[in-house]
Amino acid sequence: MINNRRAFIVGLKSSVLTNKEIIFLKKYRPWGIILFSRNIRSIKQTKKLTDKIREIFKDKKYPILIDQEGGRVNRLKNIISFDNLTSEYFGSLFERDRKQFNIVYKLFVDKTSYLLNLMGININTVPVLDLKVKGASNIIGDRSFSKNKRIISKIGDICINNFRQNSIGTVIKHIPGHGLAKVDSHKFTPIVGKNLKYLNKNDFFSFKKKKCFFAITAHVIYKSIDKFNTATHSKKIMKLIRNKINFKNIIISDDLSMKSLKDDLKTNIIKTFSAGCNLALHCNGKLSEMRVVGDNSPKVNNFIIKKTSQFYKILS
């Protein structure tokens, strides 16, 4: 049952569930779990882990996420190398030779999906729809498809569609756009000074009209819209995501343990929900912090239940 869960996603400490984690999952019932390299030693071991998680929730379609972009962000590195297959590589191939791109990119998505399905993972947090911007922080860099917003948007559609055909949900990120950030939001708070007209025409463009079940926010301050809050904590930006970018599905915060957010964890969680995020994301697997997230996350509402059910329909 989806309706007895709480509106948050957490990481786990290692490749097997500890007794304390099992107790935590049974008590707090998070909406989903996100896996990292620390959780993945082999295909067989990961399947055992995801089966165990689903057994707790008595739900064969329980949401289990991963950041499997290829290139630098390769959570499957203990199993396979995707080092050269960056988004930037696919973006330049798209510009050079569309036919070749279609073949190679489909192979890449199919192979990734095959592995994820074998391991029991049903959501991949791709595509990155952030613009590649000269002089910006390298945290996006080659994770972006292009400096051309239209190319990003087109490849984004192909990515979402190809994964969906393989029964994998996708997550557009980092809405409404991380490209202009001059610092890494894992460590500092990026502040973007461009005006709304510019942002709407450029950085926000590639996030529009995306048929995607989920989006992850940018921990970025857009000074011309909200001087004080990152997108994750800004009612104004959330309104803009809903009404101008027109994203109508589930909005997930970026990781709440990132240093861009300056308050204590409890305050960060409360601000995340009051701004309008649907799900809070916490990745580091520290049980003491996870309890704070669980204690301060509401039960899933009808909107989340409805959208999760829609997502479940694409799963095989």
Side-chain angles (χ1 to χ4, degrees):
M1 291 290 282
I2 303 160
N3 57 5
N4 65 359
R5 293 184 200 155
R6 289 189 176 274
F8 71 99
I9 299 164
V10 280
L12 302 167
K13 206 66 198 156
S14 73
S15 55
V16 286
L17 277 175
T18 64
N19 284 337
K20 282 183 177 173
E21 285 172 335
I22 292 168
I23 292 162
F24 173 87
L25 296 180
K26 285 179 175 172
K27 180 183 175 184
Y28 289 102
R29 306 193 69 76
W31 177 88
I33 301 283
I34 186 163
L35 300 184
F36 290 89
S37 305
R38 65 178 184 261
N39 309 117
I40 297 168
R41 280 187 291 113
S42 69
I43 292 170
K44 197 177 165 187
Q45 162 271 321
T46 310
K47 183 69 167 85
K48 213 170 154 184
L49 176 63
T50 57
D51 282 349
K52 181 72 184 157
I53 293 165
R54 293 204 166 98
E55 202 181 291
I56 291 168
F57 291 95
K58 296 181 177 55
D59 178 359
K60 289 191 173 107
K61 295 182 174 183
Y62 182 80
I64 298 178
L65 300 83
I66 194 168
D67 277 331
Q68 184 52 36
E69 296 172 12
R72 278 183 288 160
V73 183
N74 180 23
R75 310 301 184 203
L76 303 181
K77 64 183 180 199
N78 298 332
I79 295 167
I80 192 167
S81 165
F82 281 126
D83 290 2
N84 302 323
L85 300 174
T86 61
S87 295
E88 185 179 55
Y89 162 78
F90 287 117
S92 54
L93 184 59
F94 182 89
E95 283 191 80
R96 271 197 331 272
D97 186 339
R98 189 75 58 91
K99 208 172 164 185
Q100 180 80 356
F101 165 85
N102 288 337
I103 296 163
V104 177
Y105 193 64
K106 188 177 184 317
L107 269 172
F108 171 69
V109 172
D110 288 352
K111 179 57 76 182
T112 302
S113 304
Y114 173 72
L115 289 168
L116 299 185
N117 280 318
L118 274 184
M119 292 187 279
I121 297 162
N122 55 10
I123 300 174
N124 192 9
T125 67
V126 294
V128 174
L129 298 180
D130 303 313
L131 275 171
K132 188 170 170 60
V133 177
K134 203 178 171 187
S137 160
N138 195 37
I139 191 58
I140 299 300
D142 61 8
R143 294 169 65 197
S144 169
F145 290 114
S146 178
K147 54 183 190 291
N148 180 326
K149 62 189 180 186
R150 287 191 165 80
I151 288 173
I152 296 174
S153 182
K154 280 175 188 163
I155 300 178
D157 290 334
I158 294 165
C159 173
I160 292 160
N161 191 34
N162 282 357
F163 272 110
R164 183 183 288 216
Q165 284 171 7
N166 283 288
S167 299
I168 301 281
T170 47
V171 188
I172 55 176
K173 62 188 185 189
H174 305 83
I175 204 165
H178 203 295
L180 283 165
K182 288 209 160 47
V183 293
D184 176 358
S185 53
H186 291 84
K187 297 172 186 161
F188 310 99
T189 310
I191 298 171
V192 166
K194 296 282 189 193
N195 65 35
L196 178 55
K197 194 180 169 188
Y198 177 92
L199 291 166
N200 216 3
K201 215 172 120 185
N202 296 284
D203 290 59
F204 301 172
F205 177 88
S206 49
F207 290 89
K208 293 173 184 175
K209 296 179 187 155
K210 289 290 160 277
K211 290 180 180 148
C212 194
F213 289 110
F214 312 102
I216 278 178
T217 59
H219 289 333
V220 173
I221 290 176
Y222 305 89
K223 219 163 56 175
S224 64
I225 308 163
D226 186 334
K227 284 192 186 80
F228 307 105
N229 299 295
T230 66
T232 311
H233 287 164
S234 171
K235 286 181 181 156
K236 290 177 184 170
I237 305 270
M238 285 298 151
K239 221 168 146 182
L240 181 142
I241 289 169
R242 293 301 192 197
N243 302 331
K244 290 270 189 288
I245 292 173
N246 218 21
F247 184 77
K248 302 295 187 192
N249 293 325
I250 290 177
I251 297 176
I252 306 169
S253 77
D254 204 349
D255 181 10
L256 294 178
S257 46
M258 284 162 66
K259 301 283 188 290
S260 173
L261 306 177
K262 294 304 181 210
D263 294 300
D264 61 277
L265 184 58
K266 182 179 174 178
T267 309
N268 283 335
I269 298 154
I270 293 164
K271 282 171 85 169
T272 294
F273 288 112
S274 66
C277 280
N278 305 116
L279 299 172
L281 174 66
H282 181 271
C283 295
N284 66 24
K286 290 180 184 167
L287 212 52
S288 57
E289 292 185 20
M290 285 156 66
R291 288 192 190 102
V292 178
V293 181
D295 284 331
N296 293 285
S297 295
K299 284 263 174 77
V300 293
N301 56 21
N302 288 336
F303 174 80
I304 298 170
I305 294 164
K306 180 185 156 195
K307 294 295 177 183
T308 307
S309 302
Q310 288 171 0
F311 158 62
Y312 276 13
K313 284 186 183 127
I314 75 148
L315 302 177
S316 49

